[in-house]
DNA sequence: CGGGTTCTTGAGTGTCCTCAATCCTAGTGG
DNA sequence: CCACTAGGATTGAGGACACTCAAGAACCCG
């Protein structure tokens, strides 16, 4: 579903007001920037487990997740799956560096997103370089983060992996002790992300529960009972 | 050891001949480009296990490895080490995206390298954008590669990890069946890279030997007896 | 309310790690 | 030139952790 670019001409000079903060002195937000190419964007909906783009597809769009969660994964010859990362509401998702998508993007639940043609985003990025960094090719947004996950997977035992995952979710949501985390993804998604089995994910959640670090009222929620205890287990980020 | 920039003025216009192939029609090589900022570079030597730069140091230089091999690693609170990647002779190494080095760089054996001030490289990159991609912040040179290693560490058993490592070395050296690979790094380096123990690395090498895939004349050489067998074990790259 | 999917828990097994001993190699000093 | 030594490499035995297989529980959807 390619979008006509005629609505906005993307080869002209950049609006000068963008270089400076807004008229009221507040700095321009990501939204302010993206609004500029709103004319060439389109809103999309996907149902649970639907594919947004497949590995190898031309990477000609960049997406902004409005609601829901997306998983970025790769399928292997033997049918196994590896979930490289999750993209949450508010995040940008795309691979400007690559001609083709290096991963498959799938909807964890029902989701809404906005797609921007690559050309429009690159036009924007030429004048607002910060944009590039905000685009969550999450697999390697910074070398440090990539290292981090590599280490979690390689060197951490099961309980620590799950703790790291929960802490990351908590940080992402600015959750404090006692808050309830909504876990959008399935146990299988988590397992494939942390390179373990579903059973082990369950067991480690049960363990953290037994240790008093969390409460698990239902499969899609976790209450952070003792965030400090979790952070001790988790790898610092 | 900051290098004076006065030898080369890096704020002038870019030499026009760089935009086009050389006078004889051959495209300009990486060396041709780097020669332009040769004046601000300096040659360095390090002995085995010496530190080139430490994690957290300001990333104000980019390096080109002339001879030897470098390992990029992180040290953890509990004293463990994770080797994110190796950088080989001919590769560039640096972190233009980061203000501080996210990893420690150490000499695997005695090495020679050339350091370029960050400012000089960024001046160069402005006109020869390909340079950026050639700079081996190997941890994430492409999202796909980072994913690859993540998967090897997360989902592959010990023998497959070692096979993947050997295949990568073989590819890097354009080695064919029957060729001898020189393994510059120690078993411990390999173990910390593949997230296993030294003992398991040895055992897996012995296993691949027993399977007829390789011959191990000594600790620092491997003869590729059956490259196809190795590739079957390894993750496709 | 029933069927299906997902989650959870249990039992047994295999892989890899830990600990320990030995071998090999390179470097050193006599 | 050779014995000695120290560090790394290799091999073996035993144990811990996570996986596989399997069954039951909880949840969601029609």
């Amino acid at each position: 579903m390619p979008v006509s670019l005629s609505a906005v001409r993307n080869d002209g000079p950049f609006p000068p007001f963008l270089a400076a903060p807004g008229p009221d002195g507040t700095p321009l937000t990501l939204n302010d920037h993206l609004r500029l190419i709103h004319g060439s964007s389109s809103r999309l909906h996907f149902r649970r487990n639907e594919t947004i783009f497949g590995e190898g597809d031309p990477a000609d769009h960049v997406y902004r997740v409005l609601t829901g969660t997306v998983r970025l994964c790769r399928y292997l010859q033997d049918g196994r799956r590896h979930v490289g990362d999750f993209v949450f509401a508010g995040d940008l998702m795309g691979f400007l560096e690559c001609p083709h998508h290096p991963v498959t993007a799938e909807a964890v639940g029902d989701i809404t997103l906005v797609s921007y043609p690559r050309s429009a985003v690159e036009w924007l990025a030429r004048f607002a370089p910060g944009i590039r960094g905000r685009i969550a090719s999450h697999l390697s947004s910074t070398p440090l983060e990539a290292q981090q996950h590599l280490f979690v997977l390689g060197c951490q035992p099961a309980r620590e992996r799950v703790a790291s995952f929960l802490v990351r979710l908590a940080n992402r949501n600015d959750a404090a002790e006692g808050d309830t985390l909504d876990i959008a993804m399935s146990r299988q998604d988590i397992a494939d992300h942390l390179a373990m089995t579903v059973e082990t994910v369950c067991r480690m959640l049960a363990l953290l529960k037994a240790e008093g670090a969390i409460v698990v009222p239902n499969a899609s929620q976790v209450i952070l009972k003792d965030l400090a205890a979790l952070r001790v287990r988790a790898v610092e980020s």
Side-chain angles (χ1 to χ4, degrees), chain A:
Chain A
M1 53 198 85
V3 179
S4 163
L5 285 185
S6 59
V8 165
R9 286 193 48 82
N10 286 337
D11 49 2
F14 203 69
F17 59 81
L18 268 189
D24 55 350
T26 58
L28 288 165
T29 65
L30 179 64
N31 275 330
D32 293 331
H33 285 136
L34 288 178
R35 199 168 299 133
L36 284 171
I37 54 175
H38 181 264
S40 51
S41 73
S42 51
R43 182 175 289 233
L44 304 172
H45 295 273
F46 291 90
R47 313 284 287 276
R48 198 166 95 96
N49 291 331
E50 280 184 341
T51 299
I52 299 153
F53 53 77
E55 180 178 347
D57 290 353
D60 47 12
H61 284 79
V62 169
Y63 303 85
R64 180 170 157 79
V65 180
L66 293 184
T67 64
T69 303
V70 172
R71 63 172 174 260
L72 304 177
C73 54
R74 301 183 67 205
Y75 289 92
L76 310 156
Q77 303 79 351
D78 57 6
R80 281 186 302 175
R81 187 183 70 160
H82 182 240
V83 174
D85 208 351
F86 296 102
V87 184
F88 301 99
D91 290 344
L92 288 178
M93 156 177 95
F95 294 90
L96 286 180
E97 330 83 82
C98 305
H100 301 275
H101 288 298
V103 295
T104 297
E106 296 168 342
V108 163
D110 295 359
I111 63 165
T112 314
L113 38 79
V114 180
S115 80
Y116 302 94
R118 182 202 193 91
S119 54
V121 176
E122 278 179 343
W123 170 79
L124 193 60
R126 220 179 314 152
F127 299 92
I131 289 279
R132 272 205 141 77
R134 295 288 296 272
I135 296 181
S137 70
H138 266 249
L139 316 163
S140 61
S141 36
T142 73
L144 190 60
E145 277 175 42
Q147 276 300 88
Q148 203 76 33
H149 195 205
L150 223 70
F151 166 70
V152 171
L153 256 56
C155 309
Q156 293 293 90
R159 182 181 49 182
E160 276 71 3
R161 294 190 207 184
V162 174
S164 295
F165 176 70
L166 291 176
V167 166
R168 200 187 134 210
L169 278 189
N171 287 342
R172 148 89 213 179
N173 294 18
D174 291 320
E177 193 135 312
D179 286 0
T180 300
L181 274 184
D182 286 310
I183 314 287
M185 58 290 288
S186 71
R187 297 288 187 267
Q188 187 65 61
D189 289 335
I190 299 174
D192 289 345
H193 179 52
L194 299 177
M196 356 193 301
T197 60
V198 193
E199 293 93 329
T200 305
V201 172
C202 283
R203 270 186 258 272
M204 294 309 122
L205 285 173
L207 207 93
L208 291 171
K209 191 168 100 181
E211 291 176 352
I214 58 173
V215 175
V216 187
N218 59 66
S220 63
Q221 289 190 315
V222 166
I223 302 176
L224 302 166
K225 214 61 179 170
D226 186 351
L227 200 43
L230 277 185
R231 286 194 202 278
V232 169
R233 303 281 175 219
V235 176
E236 301 293 333
S237 41

